[in-house]
C-alpha cells in the first residue's frame, strides 16, 4: 500500500476521517481496519430505538454498502490490529501494522480511531451470565433478546447510557431499578437540578432509583445472575443486569508507539498526537478544551468524533483547520429529549428557565458571567438558540436569562469568540 493512509478503528471517527480525506481531494489509497464484523454503524440508537425494538440493524449503517468501493476506501472488517511499528528510515510516520490473524498493512500515514471499551466491575460474580454491558451492536442485539425474557432488570450506573437503557426497559414493561454509586444521577455532566429532574421523571415512570448505592457483588444460580448485592446489605433480585459505568479509552496501540497518553491519547486541536505524523480522533483521545483552550477534556460524542476526524484529515493534508466547533450532545430517554450545547465544565452559576416538573425546561451554565452551555429538556428551540449563540460568540446575562416569558433568541446579543489558529 504505497503512499496510503491506514486508519485503525472503523466507526464514527475512522469513517469520517476517511470520508473527509476524500472530500478534501486526497486520492491516495485509504485502508480502514476495524475489529467488528459490521461495517461502520451508529452507536446512539443502540440504547434507544434499537434496544426498544423501534428500529432494526439495517437502519444503523452509517453509509450505504456501495459507498466504500465508490469512494475507493478499502474497508477491512473483523480484524484487530495488535501491533504497529514505525519504520526507522524512509518517510517519517510510515510503518506497518499487523492484525491478530497475521495480516500486514504497510502505511505512509497512520490514524488511530480506536474508541473506548466499557469499564467492567471487579466485584464477586461479575462474570455471571445475564450481566451485560452495552457498547457495540452485538451487545445491543444480545441485550434486546435477553430483555424479552426478563421481568426484573437492574441497571448499574445512572449515567446517560444507564438511564437510556432503563427508559427502554421500562417502556417494555419491565420492573427496573437503577443503582447509582454517586449522590445524584449523571453527576459528571449536569447540574444537581437536572440530576434531580431525571430522578423524579424516572420515578414517575415507575423506575426505582437508588443513589449512593455501591454494588458489592452479584449472586447467581447455575451460572446465571439472580440478584445484585449492595454494600449496605440490600439484595435486589434480577433476571438481567446491565452495567453502564463508563468507558476506558483504548490506548494500547498508542502506548506501543510511545505516544503520550493521559486518560486517553493526548492530541492537540488539530488531532495530532505527540508524534506529529500520527493522528488520533474520537473517544480514544484527550484534547485541549475545544471552547476555552484551557485544560484538557475527553469527549464521548458523535459530534466530537466527527469534528476531530475532520480536523485530523485536514491537518494530515496540510489544510487549515477551522475554529473548534461548539460541542453538542443528546440523550433521549423515552419521551425525555435532552439536548446539550457547549461544555458546562467549570461553571460557577446556572440559571433555570421554565419549570422542571413540566418536563420542559432548560438550564444555562455560566462561568464569571460568560455563557458556557445549555441543557435543554424537551426544548429544542432554546437548545438551537444557545447553540447558535455559542457559535457566534453571543451571550445573555444570567440576570436576564431566567425569564421564560422572553424567548432566548431575542435575549442573545453578539460577542465574538477567538478562532483556533491554523497549523
Ligand atoms: C450505547 C451508546 C449510546 C450512545 N449515545 C450517544 C448519543 O446519544 N449521543 C452522542 O453524541 N453520542 C452517543 N454515544 C457515543 C458515541 O457513539 C461515541 O462517542 C462514538 O461512537 C465515538 O466514535 P469513535 O469512532 O471514536 O469510537 P467507537 O465508536 O468506539 O469506535 C472505535 C472502533 O475501533 C475499533 N477498534 C478498537 N481497537 C481496534 C484495533 N486494535 N483494531 C481494529 N479495530 C479496533 C472498535 O472495535 C470500534 O469499532 C453513544 C455510545 C454508546 C455505546
Amino acid at each position: 500500500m504505497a503512499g496510503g493512509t491506514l486508519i485503525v478503528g472503523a466507526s464514527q471517527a475512522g469513517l469520517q476521517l476517511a470520508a473527509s480525506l476524500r472530500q478534501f481531494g486526497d486520492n491516495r489509497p485509504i485502508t480502514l481496519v476495524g475489529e467488528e464484523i459490521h461495517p461502520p454503524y451508529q452507536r446512539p440508537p443502540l440504547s434507544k430505538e434499537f434496544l426498544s425494538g423501534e428500529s432494526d440493524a439495517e437502519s444503523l449503517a452509517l453509509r450505504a454498502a456501495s459507498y466504500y468501493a465508490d469512494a475507493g476506501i478499502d474497508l477491512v472488517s473483523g480484524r484487530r490490529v495488535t501491533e504497529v511499528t514505525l519504520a526507522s528510515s524512509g518517510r517519517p510516520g510510515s510503518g506497518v501494522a499487523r492484525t491478530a490473524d497475521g495480516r500486514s498493512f504497510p502505511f505512509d500515514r497512520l490514524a488511530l480511531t480506536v474508541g473506548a471499551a466499557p469499564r467492567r466491575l471487579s466485584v464477586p460474580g461479575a462474570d455471571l451470565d445475564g450481566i451485560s454491558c452495552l457498547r457495540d451492536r452485538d451487545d445491543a442485539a444480545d441485550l434486546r433478546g435477553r430483555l424479552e425474557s426478563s421481568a426484573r432488570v437492574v441497571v448499574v450506573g445512572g449515567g446517560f447510557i444507564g438511564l437510556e437503557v432503563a427508559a427502554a426497559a421500562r417502556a417494555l414493561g419491565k420492573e427496573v431499578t437503577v443503582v447509582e454509586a454517586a449522590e445524584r444521577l449523571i453527576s459528571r455532566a449536569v447540574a444537581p437540578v437536572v440530576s434531580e429532574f431525571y430522578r423524579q421523571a424516572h420515578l414517575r415512570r415507575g423506575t426505582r432509583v437508588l443513589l449512593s448505592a455501591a454494588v458489592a457483588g452479584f449472586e447467581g444460580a447455575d451460572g446465571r445472575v439472580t440478584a445484585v448485592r449492595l454494600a449496605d446489605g440490600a439484595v435486589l433480585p434480577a433476571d438481567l443486569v446491565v452495567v453502564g459505568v463508563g468507558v476506558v479509552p483504548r490506548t494500547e496501540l498508542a502506548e506501543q508507539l510511545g505516544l503520550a497518553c493521559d486518560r486517553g491519547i493526548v492530541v492537540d486541536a488539530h488531532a495530532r498526537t505527540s508524534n506529529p505524523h500520527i493522528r488520533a480522533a474520537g473517544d480514544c483521545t484527550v484534547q485541549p478544551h475545544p471552547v476555552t483552550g484551557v485544560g484538557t477534556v475527553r469527549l464521548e460524542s458523535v459530534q466530537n468524533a466527527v469534528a476531530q476526524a475532520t480536523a485530523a484529515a485536514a491537518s494530515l493534508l496540510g489544510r487549515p483547520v477551522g475554529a473548534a466547533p461548539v460541542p453538542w450532545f443528546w440523550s433521549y430517554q423515552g419521551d425525555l429529549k435532552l439536548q446539550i450545547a457547549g461544555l458546562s465544565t467549570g461553571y460557577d452559576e446556572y440559571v433555570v428557565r421554565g419549570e422542571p416538573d413540566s418536563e420542559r425546561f432548560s438550564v444555562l451554565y455560566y462561568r464569571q458571567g460568560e455563557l458556557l452551555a445549555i441543557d435543554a429538556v424537551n426544548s429544542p428551540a432554546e437548545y438551537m438558540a444557545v447553540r447558535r449563540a455559542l457559535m457566534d460568540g453571543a451571550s445573555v446575562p444570567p440576570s436576564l436569562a431566567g425569564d421564560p416569558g422572553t424567548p432566548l433568541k431575542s435575549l442573545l446579543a453578539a460577542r465574538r469568540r477567538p478562532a483556533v489558529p491554523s497549523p
Side-chain angles (χ1 to χ4, degrees):
M1 193 184 71
T5 303
L6 176 68
I7 304 170
V8 183
S11 180
Q12 196 81 53
L15 170 59
Q16 183 63 46
L17 213 164
S20 294
L21 285 172
R22 288 289 178 255
Q23 270 160 19
F24 294 150
D26 183 38
N27 53 17
R28 286 168 285 188
I30 299 174
T31 305
L32 179 58
V33 184
E35 185 175 12
E36 295 181 66
I37 53 163
H38 311 291
Y41 61 87
Q42 311 169 61
R43 289 185 203 279
L46 299 181
S47 48
K48 309 176 184 75
E49 308 89 291
F50 181 77
L51 192 61
S52 58
E54 290 158 49
S55 70
D56 56 15
E58 285 64 48
S59 66
L60 298 173
L62 277 165
R63 299 285 170 131
S66 57
Y67 168 78
Y68 301 92
D70 292 350
I73 295 167
D74 184 13
L75 174 65
V76 181
S77 300
R79 306 213 188 260
R80 182 161 61 93
V81 172
T82 50
E83 198 188 319
V84 188
T85 12
L86 294 180
S88 50
S89 59
R91 194 182 190 281
S94 64
V96 62
R98 289 192 179 76
T99 58
D101 62 347
R103 281 186 66 179
S104 291
F105 294 92
F107 57 83
D108 276 354
R109 297 180 303 196
L110 175 67
L112 299 176
T113 51
V114 286
R119 192 181 294 281
R120 311 271 167 182
L121 287 177
S122 50
V123 294
D127 53 0
L128 285 165
D129 187 40
I131 303 177
S132 308
C133 59
L134 177 51
R135 179 71 195 177
D136 62 31
R137 187 177 136 176
D138 292 345
D139 295 335
D142 179 65
L143 202 53
R144 200 159 116 165
R146 286 175 186 270
L147 264 176
E148 275 173 26
S149 56
S150 306
R152 295 162 305 182
V153 180
V154 174
V155 177
V156 181
F160 289 123
I161 290 181
L163 293 179
E164 288 174 6
V165 170
R170 187 68 202 120
L172 292 171
K174 310 300 169 183
E175 187 187 309
V176 182
T177 305
V178 174
V179 176
E180 167 56 53
E183 285 175 356
R184 59 187 181 89
L185 298 172
I186 338 173
S187 58
R188 282 183 301 132
V190 300
V193 63
V194 183
S195 299
E196 180 54 18
F197 162 75
Y198 273 101
R199 188 183 74 84
Q200 297 206 15
H202 281 277
L203 286 176
R204 278 195 288 275
R205 285 159 179 77
T207 294
R208 196 173 161 210
V209 180
L210 304 179
L211 301 176
S212 305
V215 172
F218 299 100
E219 295 177 1
D222 303 325
R224 274 198 60 84
V225 72
T226 54
V228 180
R229 199 165 15 88
L230 302 183
D232 66 3
V235 173
L236 312 173
D239 309 310
L240 178 64
V241 176
V242 186
V243 178
V245 293
V247 294
V248 182
R250 296 186 62 169
T251 54
E252 57 270 19
L253 294 177
E255 283 167 27
Q256 217 181 80
L257 287 160
L259 304 180
C261 295
D262 173 20
R263 298 164 294 121
I265 307 171
V266 176
V267 294
D268 66 11
H270 301 131
R272 287 177 296 214
T273 66
S274 57
N275 178 333
H277 302 290
I278 303 177
R279 301 294 181 272
D283 282 16
C284 61
T285 66
V286 168
Q287 61 181 307
H289 192 295
V291 182
T292 62
V294 180
T296 56
V297 288
R298 198 170 67 73
L299 301 175
E300 294 164 36
S301 72
V302 166
Q303 177 275 330
N304 175 63
V306 169
Q308 267 190 316
T310 308
S315 71
L316 268 179
L317 300 177
R319 291 170 62 101
V321 173
V326 170
W328 52 266
F329 182 80
W330 74 96
S331 171
Y332 294 171
Q333 299 165 29
D335 58 344
L336 301 170
K337 305 219 179 305
L338 170 67
Q339 292 168 291
I340 298 178
L343 288 181
S344 60
T345 329
Y347 72 89
D348 55 21
E349 182 182 2
Y350 62 81
V351 175
V352 181
R353 281 176 62 84
E355 179 45 57
D357 282 348
S358 70
E359 301 200 338
R360 196 183 157 92
F361 71 107
S362 57
V363 176
L364 278 69
Y365 295 84
Y366 291 87
R367 184 178 174 78
Q368 293 175 354
E370 182 154 343
L371 181 60
L372 295 180
I374 183 170
D375 295 343
V377 175
N378 292 334
S379 305
E382 305 239 312
Y383 160 76
M384 271 320 295
V386 170
R387 192 174 143 192
R388 276 210 195 97
L390 290 170
M391 284 193 299
D392 294 345
S395 193
V396 53
S399 55
L400 297 180
D403 170 17
T406 316
L408 262 186
K409 213 172 155 185
S410 64
L411 288 171
L412 292 156
R415 192 163 38 80
R416 291 260 135 235
R417 215 161 39 87
V420 174
S422 297

